[in-house]
Amino acid sequence: MSQAEVTQTAVVNFAPEANSVELQEIPIPDFGADEVLLEVSAVGVCGSDLHQWTADHSWPVNYPVVLGHEFAGTVHKTGSLIKNWSEGDRVVSETAAVIDLDNPMSREGRYNLDPTRKGFGYGVNGAMTRFVRVPARCLHRVPEPLPLERAALTEPCCVAFNAVVLNGEIQPGDRVVVFGPGPIGLLCAAMARLQGAEVAVVGLERDKGRLEIAERFYGCQPIVDGLDEWAMETDGLGVNGVVDAAGVSITLKKSLDIVRPGGWISKVGWGPQPLGFSLDPLVQKNIRLQGSFSHNWPIWERVIRLLTTGQLNIEPIIGGTWSLNEWHTAFETMHSGEIVKAVLTP
C-alpha cells in the first residue's frame, strides 16, 4: 500500500504558540467497533479554530490536533458493532467525541456538561482532513433536501438554539439585544427572530458588513451607536433579554445596564478577561444570568429540521468555500471580518 493510501492531508494545530497551524500528512485513523470512519464533505471554520490559530483561546488543547468540529459527510466504513448505519449514509456529527457514559450528566442526557467531555478539534482530531473517526452515537441523518455543505454548519446553529431558545426566555413581542455579530451572534439573532422577538445586533464600526447581514436578511436593528436609546425607548426599563455572544467583559457589564428588572442574560461568548466590575445590578434587578454551552441530541434533531425546511436560513452568513489547501486564506478572510463564515472542502 502506498503512502498516499494510508495518509491524508490535515490542518493541524501543533503547538500553543500563535500561528502554530499548518498542513501535515497524518495517518488515516483506525476506528473502533462502535465507531464509523466518516468521509468529510465540508467543514466549517469556527471562531474557536481561529482562536487556537492565534493562541488567544481559554480552553485546554491536546497538541498536536487536527482542527475542525463543524462537519458533515458520508459514512465510509463502519465498525463491527454498528447496525443502524451503512456505507454512503449522509450524516452530520455532534462535537462530543469523548464522554463518560456513566457520568451523571451523561446519564441525564446532558453529556455536553460532562466535565470529562473532549471535543473534536481540540481534545481529539477533528475534521479538517478527508477521513475522521466518529462514535456512532454522534451521528445524525441528513435529509436529502439539505446539502452536506450546509449541514456542516448544524453545530453553530445548535449553539445558538441552546443559547436563545433553551437558555433564553422569549415571548413574541419581546425586545432582545445580541452582542457580537459573529457567526454565533448572527445565528442567535436569527433564532430570536424565529421566536417572535424584536432584535438589535450590536457591533463595532468594523462590523458594519456583518451588521448589514443582520438587518437585511434577519430583520434586525443594527447598532454601532445609540444602544441605550434603543434599549430604553419603550418604557424606559430596558430590554427583556440579552445574548452575550461577544465574550468580553464590557459586553456583560453593558448587558446588566440595559436589561430590564426581572430580565435575563444568556452568555454564550467565551472570554478570559477578569470582570473588573460589580455584579450588584444582577441582584438589585433580579436578573437571571445564564451560561450556555454546547448542545445535545434533541437540539441537533430540531435544528436539522429547521435547516431542512428553510425556517432557519444560513445562506447569508456563508462567505465562501475554500479547499483544504487554501485553509490559510479562509482563516485570514474570516479573521479579518471580511466574511462571517468560511467553509473548507477536503
Side-chain angles (χ1 to χ4, degrees), residues 36-318:
V36 305
L37 187 65
L38 187 152
E39 184 170 10
V40 180
S41 296
V43 53
V45 179
C46 177
S48 64
D49 296 314
L50 300 183
H51 285 306
Q52 286 181 218
W53 172 51
T54 55
D56 58 358
H57 58 285
S58 56
W59 52 89
V61 176
N62 184 26
Y63 302 102
V65 69
V66 179
L67 293 174
H69 61 267
E70 305 173 3
F71 60 101
T74 56
V75 175
H76 184 68
K77 293 181 180 179
T78 61
S80 60
L81 296 179
I82 302 301
K83 297 179 180 179
N84 297 324
W85 300 101
S86 303
E87 293 180 12
D89 283 348
R90 303 168 78 249
V91 296
V92 64
S93 174
E94 295 189 32
T95 57
V98 177
I99 60 172
D100 177 3
L101 293 173
D102 292 323
N103 184 275
M105 291 291 98
S106 298
R107 293 175 71 88
E108 290 177 15
R110 297 194 293 169
Y111 47 85
N112 54 309
L113 303 181
D114 171 9
T116 68
R117 172 193 182 277
K118 293 181 180 179
F120 291 107
Y122 72 90
V124 302
N125 280 340
M128 289 188 185
T129 187
R130 184 180 177 191
F131 295 107
V132 58
R133 59 184 289 185
V134 178
R137 60 173 172 78
C138 290
L139 298 178
H140 295 259
R141 297 188 187 278
V142 176
E144 283 298 331
L146 182 60
L148 290 174
E149 291 75 14
R150 299 301 176 256
L153 301 189
T154 304
E155 194 274 342
C157 298
C158 290
V159 171
F161 188 100
N162 196 27
V164 175
V165 179
L166 298 186
N167 289 320
E169 188 178 327
I170 295 176
Q171 296 182 33
D174 279 354
R175 300 192 111 209
V176 173
V177 165
V178 176
F179 281 108
I184 298 300
L186 291 177
L187 290 170
C188 284
M191 288 291 180
R193 292 286 291 144
L194 280 177
Q195 290 187 281
E198 184 181 3
V199 180
V201 180
V202 181
L204 303 174
E205 186 70 27
R206 66 171 182 262
D207 297 320
K208 282 196 169 179
R210 296 180 174 195
L211 292 172
E212 287 174 3
I213 291 174
E215 180 180 27
R216 178 180 176 189
F217 295 100
Y218 298 127
C220 301
Q221 175 68 42
I223 293 180
V224 174
D225 299 303
L227 172 59
D228 289 348
E229 290 80 0
W230 191 89
M232 302 297 170
E233 71 182 12
T234 53
D235 59 7
L237 292 177
V239 296
N240 301 93
V242 180
V243 179
D244 180 4
V248 293
S249 295
I250 188 62
T251 54
L252 182 57
K253 183 177 187 301
K254 195 63 183 176
S255 300
L256 293 170
D257 293 339
I258 64 172
V259 72
R260 66 193 299 107
W264 55 270
I265 300 168
S266 179
K267 180 169 170 49
V268 65
W270 292 76
Q273 302 98 333
L275 287 178
F277 57 88
S278 173
L279 290 176
D280 283 353
L282 186 74
V283 179
Q284 184 181 26
K285 295 168 73 173
N286 201 63
I287 298 164
R288 176 166 68 86
L289 174 58
Q290 174 72 52
S292 186
F293 176 67
S294 194
H295 27 65
N296 59 7
W297 177 270
I299 295 174
W300 278 75
E301 287 294 297
R302 190 170 292 270
V303 167
I304 289 170
R305 289 200 298 273
L306 290 175
L307 292 172
T308 303
T309 61
Q311 292 178 77
L312 178 61
N313 179 17
I314 59 171
E315 294 297 328
I317 73 168
I318 300 173

